[in-house]
Amino acid sequence: MHKILMTTLVAACLLLVASAAFAFGEIAYPDRPLNLRASRSPKAAWIGSLYPGQKVRIAHEKDGWVAIYEPGETDSSEAAAVGFSNAKYLKKTRGRYEPVVWGELVYTPRTLNVRSKPSVKGNKVGSLHGMEHVLIDFPEDDWTMVFAPDATIRSQMNAMGYCAAKYFQPATEESKAKAGLATGTESSVQEVAEVPSGSGQVSGAAVAAPDPVSSEMLRVVLTAKVNVRQSRTSSSPLVRTLKPNEIVQIGLLRNGWYAVFSANDMIRSESSSMGYALQSLIDKATSPAPVVKPVSVPVPVPAPEVVTMEAIKSEAVRPEAATSAPEPVAPMPATPETVVSEPVPAPPSAVVATVPKQQTMVIDRSAFAKGKRPDPTPNQTAHGYQYRLVEKSEARQFGENWITLKVFLSTSKLPGRDALKDFAETLWKDHKRVTKKLVVLIYLPGMDMENLAYGVIKFDDEKMLELWVRKATLFGTKFM
């Protein structure tokens, strides 16, 4: 009996230790796109990013920074962390939810070495077996970082290492079936579900579930301005701004974003929508639109006019009056032999429209005062401009490798297109790589560097591809 009690006690202690190991830290969600750094400092190397509403585990807060872990991580040591982020942008409840698909699911038909750096001289840190599936991202020349297929956080510290990219093939339904992976249409962005105790499932297991889409359509009238964007993310291009009193239809709710349709649009597919708007903004700035039912107005039918022979002979009624409108006649003094007609209204073309005077829009800059962050401090000079390279990142988009440079340009005068081109070309020459495209995002003083850039200049490895500016991003700054 004593042995049974001791065995039960030891098992309970082990269960408590295992439970405590898993339950370290807490679950949190970024309230905006959030950078991951290699250490607890905004000056540390950029290693990845989190999207708004992404589920992560955080622990070890120090100096306002926390270590970031995969939601299902059981190792509480900082060595298992995938990066560090500012704690003030991580919330206990999910607000915005804007999933971002990253990486590409591939497999290798042969055994493949995983190395510590993108070179055959890198130390071997592991290996992949034939038909093993992995996610790849952060390409560098002929090499790429490899991640576990269920990885949810895009961070260089979350990678297993580097592999030669030429040995990978895109995953197919057949390859996934052979590898024992789930097949079919699935969301590329996986969430780690919190499973209630007693459900029989392992808590923290990765569960891929498609995002539910509401098919309900609602006709609303706006009470405030609402931005409509090209896709379900606040970083996508602005399509248009809806104005107060404008009537629209909203529906197809997904990830906190509504698809927006014109008031009379009868097609309810996303391809016919004008764009997407945040659910939180729509809920605050809309009210149900009144339903206007068509009203049948009876058209009075004049009684048939009886024309007598005496009237025709006296020309009181002219037969051609039934087919042509009478010419306006100057009024004459009334006599017993004269019929005085009602005054004829002027035709619509004769009405002179009153053109309202042009109004000047005044921007209340005080509204931006609380949300303004201090501008970065410039530390370099090029083409007469002081600037700072705030962030450099690499990613694969639509099958192409891109280098992104986020730059703060310190200037008191709005730069012209030629000045932007010369400045961006200098950065391109310093950072360009063969087979990779490069984009320079330019921010000016007073701008929020977490939002859209003022200037966007794109290059391939030989020349500039395009250059454009967004003047709307300057609202609230000294430039507008």
Side-chain angles (χ1 to χ4, degrees), residues 101-138:
V101 178
W102 63 274
E104 180 183 357
L105 187 64
V106 296
Y107 73 95
T108 171
R110 48 168 287 177
T111 301
L112 195 59
N113 291 329
V114 181
R115 299 191 178 274
S116 60
K117 60 182 181 180
S119 169
V120 291
K121 297 181 180 180
N123 296 328
K124 181 181 175 181
V125 295
S127 62
L128 302 178
H129 304 292
M131 296 306 296
E132 184 170 352
H133 286 63
V134 292
L135 286 172
I136 59 172
D137 207 335
F138 298 100

Side-chain angles (χ1 to χ4, degrees), residues 354-370:
T354 303
V355 180
K357 294 183 179 179
Q358 185 175 2
Q359 297 181 352
T360 302
M361 182 174 63
V362 179
I363 299 173
D364 181 12
R365 289 183 170 84
S366 62
F368 301 87
K370 294 183 179 179

Side-chain angles (χ1 to χ4, degrees), residues 21 35 87 100 105 114 117 119 122 158 177 194 238 256 265 272 293 301 304 328 355-356 359 365 368 406 415 452:
N35 291 323
V100 176
L105 187 64
V114 181
K117 60 182 181 180
S119 169
N158 202 18
E194 291 294 331
L238 181 67
D265 197 341
S272 67
K293 296 183 178 180
V301 179
V355 180
Q359 297 181 352
R365 289 183 170 84
F368 301 87
K406 182 182 285 190
L452 298 176

